[in-house]
Amino acid sequence: MKTIALCAILCSAALCCAAATLSVALDGSQQYTEIQTAIDASTHGDIVLVYPGRYHENLNFNGKNITLASLELTTGNVNYKYTTIIDGSRNGAVITSINYESNIVIRGFTITNGTGEYSVNYDLTVGGGILVGRMSGQRNVSIINCYVHGNTATLGGGLWISACNLFISGVTIKNNRASVGGGIMFPGVSGAQFNTTYDPENRCSIYNNIGSSGSDMYYFLVNAVHVVVDTFTVANPWNFYACAIAGNSSIVNPYTFDILNTVHTEVNHDLYVAPWGDNNNSGVSPIRADADNL
């Protein structure tokens, strides 16, 4: 029995030792200067650790089950997500995972200037900032302490995450744009249910995204979505902000919301707009406050 236990310990130690950290820095002080080069050199379970800087890259996990992280991972300093920037240069999705990965982690980055990838299935661009699809096995995706902004696509401007178990924590998704799902689009699969878990402690914020349907989020073929956020665009999201088509046709609205703060207050009133108006006014009256001075 002792021999078996010793073998088990040695095997576990060997597996731990097999995982590596591949470090990336623009100034040449680390092993790599390009994130994609480090990803390509990695193996399952590795960490690609990125030092601060603005990296003009369009990344692809290429089937690797790895953790892609900034120094936020090792230091606990959330501010690294603002100083470690992956800039897609408006040349496709910023980060892509579509090669049958089963477990990936994206942590501690600003993700911006993505324009998505063309999808043959949709005949449209999908996933401006982060694009995840065609996963296998456990299908686990964690996105932690990221700032996703300024991305565009036809579907899923900020995130397009398909048919997986998504854990999302401390992520701000704002000012992204798409025709459907300006902030997030999550397509499920008929006959299977996948979960999105919004961290109730390290809350996300999703607001001021633009889309004609589901400006902040759009879930498809998902029966239940409990959205726990610090900040959302409005307090009571209707389908302009959060649109969904459930997998079960008897479910009209799969959403429940836990929202602490909002950035806009909707009013049930006629609104007045004119070139000589002022966006600081309430808009509920046609008369300007300074009308007497005209």
Side-chain angles (χ1 to χ4, degrees):
M1 291 297 293
K2 289 182 179 179
T3 302
I4 294 172
L6 179 59
C7 288
I9 292 170
L10 290 174
C11 288
S12 297
L15 288 173
C16 291
C17 291
T21 297
L22 292 78
S23 299
V24 185
L26 289 170
D27 63 4
S29 62
Q30 303 300 315
Q31 297 163 283
Y32 301 94
T33 58
E34 293 181 341
I35 302 171
Q36 188 63 58
T37 305
I39 292 174
D40 293 342
S42 70
T43 59
H44 295 320
D46 285 351
I47 298 170
V48 173
L49 187 66
V50 183
Y51 281 64
R54 193 176 198 101
Y55 296 80
H56 291 271
E57 298 191 51
N58 301 90
L59 305 178
N60 195 316
F61 274 69
N62 286 331
K64 307 294 182 67
N65 296 319
I66 60 173
T67 295
L68 175 63
S70 72
L71 295 185
E72 182 275 332
L73 173 69
T74 55
T75 66
N77 184 348
V78 179
N79 288 326
Y80 278 112
K81 74 179 180 181
Y82 300 113
T83 59
T84 314
I85 303 161
I86 309 177
D87 187 329
S89 300
R90 312 207 62 77
N91 190 37
V94 181
I95 300 175
T96 300
S97 171
I98 56 171
N99 291 288
Y100 305 101
E101 296 85 358
S102 59
N103 289 282
I104 65 169
V105 178
I106 301 168
R107 180 164 184 161
F109 295 101
T110 288
I111 297 166
T112 191
N113 286 332
T115 53
E117 299 293 336
Y118 175 75
S119 167
V120 175
N121 292 335
Y122 292 95
D123 193 24
L124 298 167
T125 57
V126 301
I130 299 175
L131 165 59
V132 176
R134 291 207 301 262
M135 296 198 80
S136 65
Q138 295 177 322
R139 298 182 179 225
N140 292 328
V141 176
S142 295
I143 304 174
I144 303 168
N145 291 337
C146 288
Y147 176 38
V148 182
H149 76 101
N151 302 286
T152 62
T154 310
L155 306 177
L159 311 179
W160 193 92
I161 312 288
S162 175
C164 69
N165 297 304
L166 172 64
F167 175 71
I168 183 168
S169 174
V171 177
T172 297
I173 303 169
K174 62 177 286 192
N175 297 338
N176 302 283
R177 181 187 295 264
S179 295
V180 177
I184 302 173
M185 183 168 181
F186 188 106
V189 175
S190 180
Q193 283 297 303
F194 295 96
N195 298 317
T196 299
T197 301
Y198 290 85
D199 190 340
E201 301 298 328
N202 185 25
R203 292 188 176 219
C204 299
S205 291
I206 305 169
Y207 61 95
N208 283 358
N209 299 287
I210 299 172
S212 58
S213 181
S215 58
D216 284 317
M217 58 179 57
Y218 189 107
Y219 276 75
F220 183 66
L221 297 180
V222 176
N223 290 332
V225 188
H226 183 50
V227 181
V228 182
V229 291
D230 179 274
T231 304
F232 203 81
T233 303
V234 294
N236 297 296
W238 50 289
N239 60 8
F240 174 76
Y241 299 99
C243 189
I245 297 176
N248 185 334
S249 60
S250 66
I251 298 173
V252 176
N253 182 5
Y255 289 113
T256 54
F257 285 92
D258 180 345
I259 300 169
L260 298 181
N261 303 288
T262 61
V263 294
H264 296 299
T265 301
E266 293 187 304
V267 294
N268 184 15
H269 201 288
D270 291 337
L271 299 175
Y272 297 87
V273 180
W276 54 85
D278 187 336
N279 287 337
N280 292 318
N281 290 330
S282 67
V284 299
S285 169
I287 301 175
R288 285 173 46 181
D290 61 347
D292 293 339
N293 297 324
L294 294 178

